[in-house]
């Protein structure tokens, strides 16, 4: 599918000049900063030097005082507390954070955690979970990463004498649940200064508030930042404002001294501590390479998620709170096996879904993708929806059977709000929730045909032809000669990268093969050795690059035809050696513009 390259033109020239003078950096770096909303020295200082002092007072969040009072009363009166969370990475890390913090303040067996079964109970607060709390004497439940729409379930909990504190970050409905406290920066009447926290982030603000009231101390809160960083990365929330500060310090902690559960996951992902005999190792706590947000998204997140997708998400919480290495390793090995199984399911179902669409002209030519197979594994349909969205670049819903209902996951494309599209069909649904670009839903089987018709109608009427063509947003046009050691040293300080502060995409023209490029990965991908025309004459060495899914372009590149390239700059570690490489996002020849 052809991709439009959209060059960012948003940088004000006067602001760029001011940043150049204030920071003594080149025009390219100054432009990148202005594009990120940084226009003076103080803003740059905040950006480059995140500080925990930049975090907001948790009591600015609506209902925080009520939540703290209720938790302290539970502790003082010896009540039992249940920490309840969703089964994804955000939910399980949130439970691990809040449970770990509160556990020392409760007597044995007075505090437990609960993760609903994806298949028996579904998303969010369940009637079964409420019954478990009531029947086992839990007077208070802290619900994390869920609950903002659980109006009926909270009424049921109230009838059963179970109090709820809700800590969520999803959009609220028209009516809020009648809980003791509803903590959600997105609720309409909440004036908290930052509304992009993860579910774990809201839980983190809760324990921060507890520390401010004398329950524990702030160092105990900050010891849990590594888990919060995992949630921020895996839940794809913007890495701006508070999230940038929290992710920055969480990554520092992960790189310095991973907790046993995280370290066990990393070992299965091939990232270990350096051997004591390694002469380059400064301390035994140094990992073989520095972790980034991408590692949390692609290496740690899927393994934590795998337990809930294939088996029991409670095992992920046990792994995250494990204190002994031996126990953590045993749990991590089991979860890694589940991740391998998840990958097999994911690949098979994606192929089946693609075959289904290719065989049906109506599906193939539609504005949206809605596919259903009652035998597909519920735990991986969200991943499959993401893959289909990438393949066809259109709003996508993948559905399967769960009990008596059809249930599924939705994923969207840029500039199309899939939550609104599903909301337009809400009278056909039993439940739905989510974000602009991702959502979950369930319905009675008899409503599926009408849902497919109405969803397709909404998408076709609201998705423009321009929106249906994928875009590659490019931050800056540069020459290879601009990529100096100083440039890279400063660019590295733009991290952590993620939504709201994405790794810059650069565009370079007049690029040629220097003779070392070759196809790799069964000829699907390209390993590049390239220069810009004229670089050889000034003694600039060629750059290495990797271009995934571009193997079909090898002949034109090998024949010496000049081309343009869009790419991230990154460091690649292989066999203990770290080198700079271009991670190529797209390639265009002159006749393709």
């Amino acid at each position: 599918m052809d991709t439009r390259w959209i060059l960012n033109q948003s940088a004000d020239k006067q602001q760029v000049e001011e940043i150049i003078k204030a920071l003594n950096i080149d025009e390219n770096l100054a432009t990148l900063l202005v594009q990120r909303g940084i226009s003076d020295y103080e803003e740059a200082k905040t950006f480059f030097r995140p500080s925990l002092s930049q975090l907001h007072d948790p009591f600015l969040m609506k209902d925080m005082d009520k939540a703290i009072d209720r938790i302290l009363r539970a502790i003082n009166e010896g009540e039992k507390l249940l920490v309840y969370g969703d089964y994804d990475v955000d939910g399980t890390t949130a439970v691990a954070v809040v449970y770990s913090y509160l556990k020392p303040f409760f007597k044995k067996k007075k505090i437990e955690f609960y993760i609903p079964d994806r298949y028996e109970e579904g998303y969010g607060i369940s009637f079964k979970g409420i019954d478990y709390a009531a029947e086992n004497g839990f007077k208070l439940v802290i619900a994390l990463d869920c609950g903002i729409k659980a109006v009926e379930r909270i009424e049921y909990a109230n009838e059963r004498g179970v109090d709820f504190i809700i800590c969520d970050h999803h959009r609220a409905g028209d009516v809020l649940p009648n809980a003791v406290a509803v903590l959600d920066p997105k609720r309409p009447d909440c004036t908290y200064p930052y509304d992009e926290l993860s579910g774990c982030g809201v839980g983190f603000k809760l324990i921060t508030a507890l520390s401010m009231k004398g329950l524990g101390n702030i160092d105990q809160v900050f010891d849990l930042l590594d888990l919060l960083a995992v949630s921020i990365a895996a839940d794809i929330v913007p890495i701006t404002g508070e999230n940038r500060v929290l992710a920055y310090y969480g990554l520092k902690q992960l790189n310095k001294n991973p907790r046993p559960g995280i370290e066990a996951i990393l070992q299965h992902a091939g990232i270990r501590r350096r051997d004591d005999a390694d002469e380059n190792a400064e301390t035994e706590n140094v990992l073989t390479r520095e972790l980034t947000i991408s590692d949390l998204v692609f290496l740690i997140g899927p393994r934590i998620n795998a337990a809930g997708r294939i088996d029991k998400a409670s095992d992920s919480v046990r792994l995250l709170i494990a204190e002994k290495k031996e126990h953590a390793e045993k749990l991590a090995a089991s979860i890694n096996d589940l991740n391998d199984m998840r990958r097999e399911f994911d690949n098979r179902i994606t192929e089946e879904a693609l075959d289904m669409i290719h065989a049906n002209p109506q599906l193939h030519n539609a504005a949206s993708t809605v596919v259903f197979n009652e035998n597909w594994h519920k735990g991986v349909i969200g991943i499959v929806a993401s893959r289909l969205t990438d393949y066809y670049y259109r709003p996508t819903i993948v559905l399967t059977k769960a009990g008596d209902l059809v249930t599924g996951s939705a994923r969207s494309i840029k500039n199309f709000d899939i939550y609104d599209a599903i909301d337009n069909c809400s009278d056909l649904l039993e439940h739905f929730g989510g974000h602009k670009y991702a959502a979950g839903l369930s319905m009675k089987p008899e409503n599926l045909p009408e849902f497919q018709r109405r969803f397709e109608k909404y998408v076709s009427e609201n998705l423009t032809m321009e929106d249906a063509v994928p875009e590659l947003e490019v931050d800056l046009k540069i020459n290879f000669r601009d990529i100096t050691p100083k440039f890279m040293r400063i660019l590295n300080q733009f991290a952590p990268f993620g939504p709201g502060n994405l790794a810059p995409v650069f565009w370079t023209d007049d690029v040629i093969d220097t003779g070392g490029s070759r196809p790799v990965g069964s000829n699907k991908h390209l390993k590049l050795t390239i220069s810009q025309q004229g670089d050889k004459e000034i003694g600039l060495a060629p750059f290495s690059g990797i271009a995934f899914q571009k193997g079909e372009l090898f002949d034109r590149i090998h024949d010496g035809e000049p081309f343009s390239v869009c790419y991230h700059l990154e460091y690649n570690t292989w066999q203990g050696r770290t080198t700079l490489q271009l991670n190529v996002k797209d390639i265009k020849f002159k006749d393709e513009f």
Side-chain angles (χ1 to χ4, degrees):
M1 186 179 294
D2 190 35
T3 300
R4 287 197 306 271
W5 295 7
I6 309 296
L7 183 63
N8 190 335
Q9 306 279 7
S10 65
D12 180 89
K13 289 185 178 180
Q14 183 176 344
Q15 291 180 343
V16 171
E17 288 296 328
E18 290 174 1
I19 287 290
I20 291 172
K21 293 176 183 176
L23 302 182
N24 190 29
I25 58 175
D26 68 30
E27 182 179 353
N28 290 325
L29 291 166
T31 301
L32 291 173
L33 286 172
V34 173
Q35 288 173 347
R36 282 157 171 72
I38 298 159
S39 58
D40 60 36
Y41 177 83
E42 287 303 319
E43 290 174 346
K45 181 180 178 182
T46 298
F47 180 76
F48 284 121
R49 300 289 181 267
S51 169
L52 292 168
S53 65
Q54 296 164 9
L55 300 179
H56 302 302
D57 182 343
F59 285 99
L60 294 175
M61 194 175 293
K62 183 78 172 179
D63 279 4
M64 184 62 79
D65 53 343
K66 296 178 183 177
I68 299 308
D69 288 345
R70 184 64 186 88
I71 294 170
L72 293 177
R73 177 157 68 89
I75 294 171
N76 292 333
E77 297 182 4
E79 293 180 344
K80 293 180 72 175
L81 171 69
L82 189 65
V83 183
Y84 186 112
D86 189 27
Y87 39 66
D88 67 2
V89 178
D90 193 15
T92 51
T93 53
V95 168
V97 163
V98 174
Y99 177 84
S100 296
Y101 190 81
L102 287 176
K103 185 181 177 183
F105 306 108
F106 284 81
K107 292 181 180 179
K108 191 174 182 181
K109 298 186 178 180
K110 288 286 187 177
I111 182 170
E112 291 183 16
F113 65 82
Y114 186 100
I115 306 292
D117 185 277
R118 182 189 292 264
Y119 307 104
E120 292 184 7
E121 299 169 73
Y123 167 80
I125 298 170
S126 68
F127 290 113
K128 182 178 177 181
I130 295 168
D131 288 340
Y132 177 87
E135 291 163 9
N136 289 277
F138 291 97
K139 295 294 185 182
L140 178 62
V141 178
I142 299 176
L144 296 149
D145 191 35
C146 60
I148 193 62
K149 286 190 170 183
V151 176
E152 181 184 356
R153 286 165 171 79
I154 295 303
E155 287 300 332
Y156 178 71
N158 291 337
E159 292 170 6
R160 298 221 59 181
V162 179
D163 288 344
F164 265 79
I165 293 170
I166 292 171
C167 300
D168 206 346
H169 70 129
H170 298 98
R171 289 193 208 178
D174 295 333
V175 179
L176 292 176
N178 185 26
V180 170
V182 179
L183 308 180
D184 188 336
K186 287 191 177 74
R187 62 181 280 185
D189 59 345
C190 182
T191 58
Y192 188 75
Y194 187 73
D195 63 0
E196 297 294 348
L197 294 168
S198 65
C200 184
V202 178
F204 182 84
K205 302 306 291 192
L206 177 70
I207 64 171
T208 302
L210 284 167
S211 74
M212 293 170 66
K213 288 294 184 180
L215 191 74
N217 60 66
I218 198 63
D219 288 337
Q220 291 170 294
V221 175
F222 292 157
D223 281 344
L224 297 161
L225 277 169
D226 54 344
L227 295 176
L228 179 52
V230 173
S231 92
I232 289 169
D235 217 50
I236 321 295
V237 293
I239 302 186
T240 58
E242 277 196 306
N243 282 344
R244 177 176 171 79
V245 176
L246 296 166
Y248 176 85
Y249 282 94
L251 272 171
K252 283 184 71 172
Q253 186 170 332
L254 283 163
N255 280 299
K256 181 180 179 182
N257 191 20
R259 68 184 56 239
I262 297 294
E263 183 168 14
I265 293 174
L266 290 172
Q267 288 178 350
H268 283 282
I271 301 176
R272 302 172 181 272
R273 295 188 192 276
R274 288 185 182 140
D275 192 287
D276 290 342
D278 185 346
E279 62 183 8
N280 296 316
E282 296 178 4
T283 74
E284 63 177 0
N285 286 331
V286 178
L287 296 172
T288 49
R289 69 171 175 80
E290 188 166 304
L291 297 174
T292 66
I293 289 292
S294 291
D295 293 318
L296 309 191
V297 174
F298 297 110
L299 297 182
I300 296 178
R303 287 171 169 83
I304 294 174
N305 253 337
R309 293 186 185 280
I310 307 301
D311 197 8
K312 302 184 296 296
S314 54
D315 283 346
S316 290
V317 178
R318 292 187 182 93
L319 174 62
L320 296 174
I321 65 175
E323 297 178 359
K324 296 181 179 179
K325 288 186 178 181
E326 298 78 10
H327 185 215
E329 171 52 35
K330 184 177 180 181
L331 286 165
S334 173
I335 285 173
N336 197 65
D337 290 342
L338 292 174
N339 189 52
D340 291 340
M341 190 182 303
R342 184 272 308 166
R343 194 179 289 117
E344 291 176 13
F345 288 155
D346 156 21
N347 292 336
R348 175 177 57 80
I349 294 171
T350 299
E351 289 300 319
E352 290 177 2
L354 287 170
D355 290 344
M356 182 186 297
I357 297 167
H358 293 160
N360 185 326
Q362 185 176 350
L363 270 177
H364 191 269
N365 298 317
S368 66
T369 297
V370 181
V371 288
F372 167 71
N373 183 320
E374 66 178 21
N375 296 316
W376 285 341
H377 197 288
K378 184 182 176 184
V380 301
I381 55 176
I383 303 172
V384 174
S386 294
R387 295 192 189 283
L388 296 182
T389 303
D390 291 341
Y391 191 91
Y392 282 105
Y393 199 72
R394 61 196 191 193
T396 298
I397 301 178
V398 178
L399 299 157
T400 188
K401 196 82 179 290
D404 297 329
L405 295 176
V406 169
T407 187
S409 290
R411 298 293 184 270
S412 196
I413 60 175
K414 185 184 176 186
N415 297 329
F416 186 82
D417 192 325
I418 203 162
Y419 182 94
D420 286 346
I422 295 170
D423 188 33
N424 185 66
C425 310
S426 61
D427 57 302
L428 299 170
L429 304 177
E430 297 300 301
H431 176 269
F432 78 101
H435 309 282
K436 180 177 181 179
Y437 295 120
L441 67 160
S442 61
M443 71 191 82
K444 293 178 180 177
E446 58 266 28
N447 289 342
L448 177 56
E450 179 62 10
F451 175 84
Q452 289 174 304
R453 186 192 70 78
R454 280 174 48 185
F455 182 80
E456 168 65 18
K457 182 174 185 291
Y458 183 94
V459 173
S460 62
E461 291 175 352
N462 290 275
L463 185 69
T464 67
M465 290 185 65
E466 190 174 78
D467 289 336
V469 177
E471 295 178 355
L472 178 56
E473 295 185 2
V474 183
D475 294 88
L476 208 58
K477 266 193 171 186
I478 64 172
N479 296 311
F480 283 165
R481 67 192 68 179
D482 297 327
I483 306 171
T484 64
K486 180 181 177 182
F487 178 88
M488 287 305 303
R489 187 170 64 252
I490 298 173
L491 185 65
N492 288 339
Q493 295 178 53
F494 280 54
F497 295 118
N501 183 44
L502 294 171
V505 177
F506 300 107
W507 174 344
T508 300
D509 292 321
D510 301 319
V511 174
I512 53 172
D513 176 34
T514 59
S517 299
R518 66 187 191 278
V520 294
S522 302
N523 298 329
K524 290 181 180 179
H525 316 304
L526 285 178
K527 184 69 176 173
L528 299 170
T529 307
I530 51 180
S531 288
Q532 201 170 8
Q533 289 179 327
D535 282 351
K536 185 177 180 180
E537 287 75 8
I538 63 172
L540 188 65
F543 279 87
S544 296
I546 184 70
F548 294 107
Q549 306 299 330
K550 299 294 180 184
E552 75 279 0
L553 303 179
F554 173 70
D555 288 340
R556 293 182 73 175
I557 289 172
H558 184 64
D559 288 345
E561 185 176 348
F563 58 94
S564 296
V565 61
C566 282
Y567 55 92
H568 294 305
L569 288 166
E570 65 182 21
Y571 289 99
N572 179 49
T573 300
W574 176 250
Q575 294 182 340
R577 184 168 174 260
T578 299
T579 56
L580 179 66
Q581 75 169 5
L582 314 182
N583 186 329
V584 175
K585 313 311 291 182
D586 202 12
I587 292 171
K588 283 185 184 290
F589 297 91
K590 290 185 177 180
D591 60 359
E592 295 176 325
F593 284 99

